[in-house]
Structure formats: structure tokens, C-alpha cells
Amino acid sequence: MRILWSVVTLMMLGSSSVAAQELPVAAQLARDFGKRELVQSISLSPDGVYFAALVAGKGQSEVLLIGRVDGSEEARPILNADGDPERLTRCNWANNSRLICTISTVSGNGVDAVTFTRSLAIDRDGKNMKVVSARPGNNALEYMQNGGSVIDWFGDAQGSAVLMTRQFVPEASSETNIGSTQQGLGVERIDPLTLKRQLVERGSALAVEYITDGLGTVRIMGVRPEDASGYVKNQIRYRYRKPGSRDWLPLSTVGAADPGGNAFDPWAVDPTANVAYGFDTLDGRRALFKVALDGTAKRDLVFARPDVDIDGLIRIGRKNRVVGVSFATDRRQTAFFDPELKKLQSALQKAVPDLPLVSFVDSSSDESMLLIWMGSDVDPGRYMVYDKATRHLDQLVAVRPDLENRKLAVVKAVTVQAADGAQIPAYLTIPTGSDGKKLPAIVMPHGGPGARDEWGFDWLAQFFAARGYAVLQPNYRGSTGYGDDWFVENGFKSWRVAIGDVNDAGRWLIKEGIATPDHLAIVGWSYGGYAALQSSVLDPDLFKSIVAIAPVTDLDSWREELRGFKEYALRDQFIGNGPHVREGSPAKNAGVFKVPVLMFHGDRDQNVGIGESRLMASRLKAAGKAVELVEFKGLDHQLDDSEARATMLAKADAFLRTTMKLPE
């Protein structure tokens, strides 16, 4: 296996000003594990000759690099964004010589900030850059936040046109501008070189999604209704068109109040079979179905599992051809419908057994060249290029080159028994070289709560394992992926069940002899941070220290963050009303805390406002409790900055060692 792309220069893009040899061991580990993934995203040109990679630079910056897949030329940067506040979020090939990229920017701070996106086109050599997004007229009555996104590449390599969504905004005068007579989301056909535009779908005020057939025809539209107050409802109504027709017909309603209704969630259209692929519930779990788009509404089950949800649709090529599904049991798996890809996946796993996780990321237009990601629990992953003609598999780049020479800790799937007998799936990471007994240990609940942890590399868990901690990540009830019954009502309405499972995970560590009662802590991010704090409300004596990153701390105040936004009703329903709101808000129960708390939060967090952590800190201080809040200026929910993450890891480690009286 060859390594095609040298990353020495790229690693310097995000290098620290402090030489590695000058750092103490703990600081060096924090720096290496806190460093952002080098490759944020990557794609192949339609002819398979070039790649385009968004890579992490210094601070929050991103750099777009273009290089030859065969490694005959060094990759070179053609575009960058400093991340403060402009960010490059994605770049894809319009044709072999031109790309379309999306840039986002934020106006304001925190929960009151407004995000704007714009798309631009640029040549492979960095020249001829033009803004693709439509410009609102001088008399526009609203801001155009959404700059549109490409939804169809016409399935070819020529790339003389793309289909893009467009947000039409109303104007005071409507005599000359085509956009002035429309409002809402529509679709245009755009030439990425000349920017010539042709209206395909008129703006619809309630439209939120369009799905095409991969050949340039819009077949499905999703609309989200609003209530009398202007808040969006918790449902999307889908409509479809028969081939050659412009008439919209009803397809399904996702999020409908009637649990027995048609909740088919369409994801893709196969123009040859004239069907839509999508997800719906079968026996309480998510399954893949296909529905005929010929007027018969004939519906067939494509793939289901009796134990877990089917949560991913695998597509490939310029046409976004549906080739399989993915799901996670104890680890992520893929089931291919395409015989050739199924055979190739099996061959790859046999050829590179140390990298059992395989994802098909992109391909050339004829699918002769495949871009593949491969990884494991002890390998953060690497991008590979497979040439079908030569049957060569070559490494393009490692995702985290700073960790290439570091031995990582093995992750093991385990089961934790909850107090009521429920079997909680979890992942246990034990420090390398340890016998796994009487260790300082951390329970690390995931965020969401509508998410789940999976087997594989996790930079937070691996950092703490490198510092000598055992780390347990439970998929508590309230997690997704295990069906409706496991989700219960969600981790906030059913917080007692979810947090009970998290606490039982801590007790399991003690019972198994992995941890001792005096050396047990909890660390979490987002909902995981909420769970870390709320664990003490349920049992103040269990964990000896708490680290919460960007946590929700008061359900009422978090609800109110969206009061002035259309999505307010969705969050209001998600949280609900009743005694669980006060009882389930750690900031309203600060008096019960017995152990020190350390929190981290970015002041540009739009998911969970920094006011949540400030409120918790003030309530704990007023109650005479030990608390520290570290604020990061200019950072969002993900703290997407290598220096900030290194600081957070180092401070969290020092805090845990001090509070649990561990050696440095």
C-alpha cells in the first residue's frame, strides 16, 4: 500500500507555537488529542484525477486544498476562511475543473446570533471565483440567510449545470425582479461558470426540502406547516410527482400526531425503478422502505433489523445511487444491495483487518475510482483510494497524523445492568498496559440526547485513557438507534430513566472492580454535560467530581432561548411541562451538590447558550459550592479550535486529579 499524499506541510497549517519537546507529558497529550482532525471533508473530481480536501488550519480556520490523487503534485491551497466568523463548510466538484463551496458566517453572539450562508464557485487553480448564491434586491423586506445548496449534479462529469435551492425573499416593489414576486424555498438551474440562472421550482413559503432523481428533475418536496403564532409544527408533509408531471401528489407526513399514519421519511429517488427510498417504523424500530412514485403508493420493505434501527442510507456517485444501508449493533455495519460493492467491502476488510470500519465516501462519475475511509477504535482513520482497474488500494491521508505513532487504548463493547434489570449497552476504554482494576474512572454520557455512542476512535475517551483513566460510555435509555421503547420520551422528559442509567454505569464500574468509589468522576458534553450535572441531583454521593462542557442546566431557560424563533414550539414540546422540568434542572437544585464542578462553554454557542453555564455557576456559588466556569470567546458549541480544546483537556485532567487526589 502506497501513501500518495504527503501531509508534512499540511500538519504545519495547524501547528502550535510551542515545540513538542518543550511540553510536559500531560500538556503534550492534551495538545495531540485536542488537535482538530486534519481532514474535515474530502471529495474526488468526476474524472477521479483530483481531490479537494477541507483541512483544519490554525485556530478555527479551514483551508481548501487541491491535489492529484496519484501524488504526482503536492496539494496546494486555493481558498481559506479564518473561522472568525467566516467558515468553509463544504466544497464539491461541479465538474473536473470547477468547485462549488459553501461559506457560513454568524452575526451576533450566542443564542441571538443569526447564521448566513453563501455559495461560491472557484476554478481548480483558485481563479475565477464568483458568488453563486442569488443576491436579494435593494428593496428586500427580509434578510436572505440561506444562500442555497446544490441538490443535483445531473449525474454527469461535464457539470455544465447544477440544481440549487434558493431562498426567495419578498420585496417592496415587484415589477422587475423575478424574486420579488416569490417567497420561500425554491429551486434554480445554474451554470457554475457563467452563473446563468433558470427557475425550476417557484419559491414556496413553507417548503423546507426538495429531493431530485439525480438526473436534474425534482420529484419530492417537503413542507413544514406553521401554527397560528407563526411557529413551525413538529411535522413535515411530503408530496411527489409522477414522471413527466408537474402536479404534486401526497406522499407522507413525518412527525404526524397519528402514530398509525404514513410516516415514511423519503431520502432518495431511484429514477429507473421510479421509487423513493426512505425510513419508517417497523415493530418499533426504524427500517428502510421503498415507495412507488407511479400513483399506486405501493410500499415494500427493503431492509430491517430486529435489534437496532436502520439509520443510514448509502449512496454513491454523481447520481447519488442507492447502494446499501448502515446500522450500528456493537459496531457500525453496512449492508450493500450492490453485489460488486458488497464483494469489495468484504475484500477490503480481509486485506486490511486492522481497519474494520469501512465507509465509501465518494467516487469518480463512472465509479471506477472510489474514495474510502477506513478506521478502528485504535486508529482515527485514513482516507484510501481504490482503483477498480488496477485493484490497487492506496492511502491518501491520515485523519489525525499527530497520533500516528501513539499507541491508543482498545475499546470494548460491554453491557451494564440497570437497577430495574435493563441491559444498557456501553463502551469501555481501558488504559493501554493496565490490568483494568482499581483505576480512576470516568463515566462519559453522550450528547443529544437523540444520539448514541459507537465503537471506534473517540478523542475525548482516548485522551483520558492516555492519562490513566478507565472510560465508560453508556447508551442510556433516551439514546437513539435502539427503537422507540429505548428512546422512551427523550432524555429530558424521561430524565429519571436516562440519568438513572448513567449513574448505574458508575456503580457498575465499582461493582466490577474497575474503579474505586473515591476515584469515580463524570464528564459530559452538551446533553452529556447536563447528565453529568443532573447525576448529582439523583445521587449526590456517587461521583467525586463533575466536568460539564456546554451543558443545559435549566430546562425553562433553555426553552426560552428560542422564544423569538420559529422553532420555539418544537423545543417547547420536546421539553414538555410539569414537575419534571424543575426536578430535572440542575440549576434549580444546586443545593444538593456535594462535589466540585468544572464547566467549559463558548460564548458563540447557538445550541446551548452560555447563559446556561453562567446560571449554573451563579447558583452553585450562591449555595456555597465549589465551581469554576471557563469561557472561550468566539467559539461555538463544538469548541472547534485546537488550542481551546488542548486547554480544556489539560484543565479537566488537572481538575480531576486534584479533586480525586490522584498523582500528576
Side-chain angles (χ1 to χ4, degrees):
M1 185 188 301
R2 297 177 297 159
I3 298 179
L4 299 175
W5 178 21
S6 170
V7 299
V8 175
T9 302
L10 303 180
M11 290 172 64
M12 294 301 293
L13 289 169
S15 64
S16 171
S17 59
V18 180
Q21 61 269 23
E22 297 176 2
L23 294 174
V25 172
Q28 181 62 49
L29 287 171
R31 175 186 176 276
D32 289 348
F33 284 99
K35 198 165 187 179
R36 292 188 294 162
E37 287 188 1
L38 174 65
V39 181
Q40 307 284 295
S41 66
I42 190 167
S43 60
L44 286 180
S45 61
D47 59 10
V49 175
Y50 291 89
F51 65 83
L54 273 180
V55 301
K58 292 182 179 179
Q60 303 176 65
S61 68
E62 293 102 8
V63 181
L64 175 61
L65 293 150
I66 305 297
R68 291 184 67 95
V69 169
D70 63 10
S72 60
E73 296 176 7
E74 188 68 36
R76 68 187 193 90
I78 66 165
L79 186 65
N80 69 279
D82 64 9
D84 188 21
E86 292 82 16
R87 306 204 68 167
L88 271 170
T89 56
R90 60 179 178 268
C91 287
N92 293 98
W93 296 86
N95 51 47
N96 292 324
S97 60
R98 197 155 174 79
L99 298 101
I100 294 179
C101 298
T102 300
I103 291 183
S104 68
T105 187
V106 176
S107 176
N109 273 342
V111 295
D112 295 323
V114 178
T115 300
F116 295 85
T117 64
R118 294 293 183 266
S119 292
L120 54 87
I122 188 170
D123 285 348
R124 190 178 67 218
D125 60 6
K127 299 177 181 178
N128 195 23
M129 185 169 68
K130 297 179 180 179
V131 176
V132 179
S133 298
R135 291 179 172 85
N138 294 329
N139 298 318
L141 300 177
E142 297 176 3
Y143 290 115
M144 191 185 81
Q145 289 181 243
N146 180 1
S149 58
V150 176
I151 59 173
D152 199 305
W153 305 92
F154 283 83
D156 58 32
Q158 284 68 45
S160 58
V162 297
L163 289 190
M164 262 186 88
T165 57
R166 172 177 172 178
Q167 180 190 355
F168 291 91
V169 296
E171 296 187 4
S173 173
S174 60
E175 296 180 359
T176 59
N177 188 325
I178 190 171
S180 63
T181 63
Q182 303 181 60
Q183 182 176 359
L185 196 67
V187 179
E188 293 181 321
R189 177 185 175 124
I190 302 175
D191 185 315
L193 180 60
T194 66
L195 301 191
K196 181 180 178 181
R197 324 175 76 86
Q198 178 185 347
L199 185 66
V200 174
E201 299 291 340
R202 291 182 59 82
S204 173
L206 300 180
V208 293
E209 183 180 7
Y210 292 93
I211 301 175
T212 76
D213 62 0
L215 300 174
T217 302
V218 176
R219 296 293 305 277
I220 295 175
M221 175 175 66
V223 298
R224 186 185 286 276
E226 298 177 356
D227 62 21
S229 301
Y231 294 126
V232 296
K233 293 184 178 181
N234 188 27
Q235 62 178 241
I236 298 179
R237 298 171 184 167
Y238 286 100
R239 304 165 184 167
Y240 77 97
R241 286 178 175 143
K242 296 179 183 178
S245 172
R246 294 289 297 173
D247 297 328
W248 289 114
L249 301 174
L251 178 62
S252 60
T253 300
V254 176
D258 177 12
N262 179 7
F264 175 73
D265 182 9
W267 278 39
V269 171
D270 182 333
T272 303
N274 192 30
V275 298
Y277 286 95
F279 298 95
D280 202 349
T281 300
L282 177 68
D283 299 328
R285 290 183 175 82
R286 204 171 184 224
L288 181 71
F289 293 85
K290 61 180 179 181
V291 174
L293 301 181
D294 58 2
T296 66
K298 183 176 182 296
R299 174 183 170 120
D300 294 299
L301 175 65
V302 179
F303 197 91
R305 294 272 304 192
D307 50 349
V308 294
D309 294 332
I310 307 304
D311 56 13
L313 187 66
I314 309 301
R315 290 174 281 185
I316 198 168
R318 303 281 286 180
K319 299 177 185 178
N320 273 324
R321 183 169 67 93
V322 174
V323 295
V325 294
S326 71
F327 53 92
T329 52
D330 59 339
R331 63 179 62 184
R332 175 64 52 179
Q333 299 182 53
T334 301
F336 281 107
F337 312 143
D338 183 283
E340 184 181 10
L341 289 175
K342 183 177 182 179
K343 183 178 179 181
L344 176 58
Q345 181 194 39
S346 178
L348 289 173
Q349 290 174 330
K350 290 178 181 177
V352 195
D354 292 339
L355 301 174
L357 299 178
V358 178
S359 296
F360 291 81
V361 179
D362 199 5
S363 75
S364 58
S365 58
D366 63 1
E367 299 183 23
S368 64
M369 298 285 287
L370 300 177
L371 180 62
I372 302 168
W373 176 90
M374 303 181 73
S376 74
D377 57 339
V378 295
D379 191 309
R382 49 205 68 235
Y383 289 99
M384 310 283 200
V385 176
Y386 180 74
D387 187 331
K388 288 184 179 180
T390 64
R391 302 180 70 180
H392 279 173
L393 177 68
D394 298 307
Q395 179 177 314
L396 194 59
V397 62
V399 171
R400 288 180 178 266
D402 291 84
L403 299 178
E404 282 287 86
N405 297 317
R406 191 177 295 283
K407 188 174 182 179
L408 301 178
V410 171
V411 180
K412 179 183 178 183
V414 297
T415 301
V416 173
Q417 181 168 309
D420 63 0
Q423 301 298 306
I424 313 300
Y427 296 97
L428 177 65
T429 306
I430 296 292
T432 299
S434 166
D435 63 0
K437 298 298 180 181
K438 295 184 178 179
L439 297 168
I442 294 169
V443 173
M444 189 180 294
H446 62 74
R452 59 157 290 172
D453 276 316
E454 294 187 25
W455 183 85
F457 173 83
D458 183 303
W459 62 276
L460 271 176
Q462 287 289 344
F463 166 75
F464 286 115
R467 292 294 290 142
Y469 303 89
V471 181
L472 183 64
Q473 298 169 273
N475 281 321
Y476 49 83
R477 281 169 286 184
S479 304
T480 53
Y482 299 94
D484 294 343
D485 290 343
W486 195 261
F487 186 70
V488 198
E489 288 186 281
N490 76 49
F492 289 119
K493 286 184 179 178
S494 304
W495 73 265
R496 287 187 183 277
V497 176
I499 307 305
D501 290 349
V502 170
N503 284 2
D504 284 340
R507 297 185 186 100
W508 180 86
L509 285 168
I510 297 171
K511 179 183 176 182
E512 294 295 313
I514 298 168
T516 59
D518 292 335
H519 295 144
L520 182 64
I522 185 166
V523 177
W525 199 317
S526 193
Y527 180 88
Y530 163 83
L533 294 166
Q534 190 65 11
S535 68
S536 266
V537 178
L538 206 57
D539 186 348
D541 298 307
L542 179 61
F543 298 108
K544 304 312 173 189
S545 55
I546 299 169
V547 177
I549 308 160
V552 172
T553 68
D554 185 289
L555 297 184
D556 276 326
S557 65
W558 189 56
R559 184 203 320 265
E560 289 304 307
E561 286 183 1
L562 287 185
R563 172 65 75 173
F565 296 85
K566 284 181 172 291
E567 295 80 10
Y568 170 77
L570 303 183
R571 184 171 291 181
D572 181 50
Q573 294 169 24
F574 187 66
I575 293 172
N577 291 280
H580 75 275
V581 174
R582 166 171 283 279
E583 295 165 357
S585 296
K588 287 186 169 75
N589 296 278
V592 306
F593 280 68
K594 295 182 179 181
V595 299
V597 172
L598 173 63
M599 293 183 291
F600 300 93
H601 218 127
D603 69 354
R604 283 188 181 165
D605 194 331
Q606 293 177 269
N607 297 60
V608 180
I610 195 172
E612 289 291 297
S613 286
R614 289 172 177 169
L615 175 64
M616 188 73 208
S618 67
R619 294 284 176 83
L620 287 171
K621 287 179 181 177
K625 311 299 181 179
V627 60
E628 180 183 359
L629 170 59
V630 178
E631 299 187 8
F632 291 106
K633 290 192 176 298
L635 296 187
D636 62 11
H637 193 65
Q638 304 302 327
L639 301 181
D640 205 5
D641 180 290
S642 296
E643 294 295 333
R645 288 185 174 185
T647 297
M648 180 189 72
L649 293 179
K651 282 184 174 289
D653 178 45
F655 169 78
L656 294 175
R657 290 182 181 281
T658 299
T659 54
M660 292 194 291
K661 299 180 175 60
L662 298 173
E664 290 297 321

